[in-house]
Amino acid sequence: KIHGDTCEVTLDDGEVIDHPESTGIIVRLAESTPPTTTVVVASRTDVGLPLAVLRARGDVVELAADDLAMTFV
């Protein structure tokens, strides 16, 4: 999806990404995109991506079920 000068690449059903070659491609994509591009991996479970380097750089935002749960006050 392209929004003006920015681009978003969304990969849905991330829980089915289990082949090492596929994982490597996604990591390379995330590491090599320009600052105007966002890579989103949507998954019902934790994905097997090695995110430590991206986390350390502050380039990962993770939302878990607790983050998405509706609370009533």
Side-chain angles (χ1 to χ4, degrees):
K1 192 173 201 180
I2 299 175
H3 305 280
D5 294 336
T6 63
C7 177
E8 177 184 293
V9 178
T10 303
L11 305 171
D12 199 2
D13 296 326
E15 66 273 8
V16 300
I17 302 168
D18 59 358
H19 192 277
E21 189 172 325
S22 299
T23 302
I25 291 169
I26 294 167
V27 170
R28 285 192 301 279
L29 174 68
E31 291 176 338
S32 64
T33 57
T36 56
T37 301
T38 301
V39 177
V40 177
V41 179
S43 177
R44 296 179 185 272
T45 61
D46 288 340
V47 292
L49 298 172
L51 300 175
V53 172
L54 296 172
R55 255 188 218 111
R57 291 194 316 220
D59 289 341
V60 173
V61 174
E62 297 174 273
L63 299 173
D66 289 344
D67 299 316
L68 301 173
M70 296 180 69
T71 58
F72 299 95
V73 181

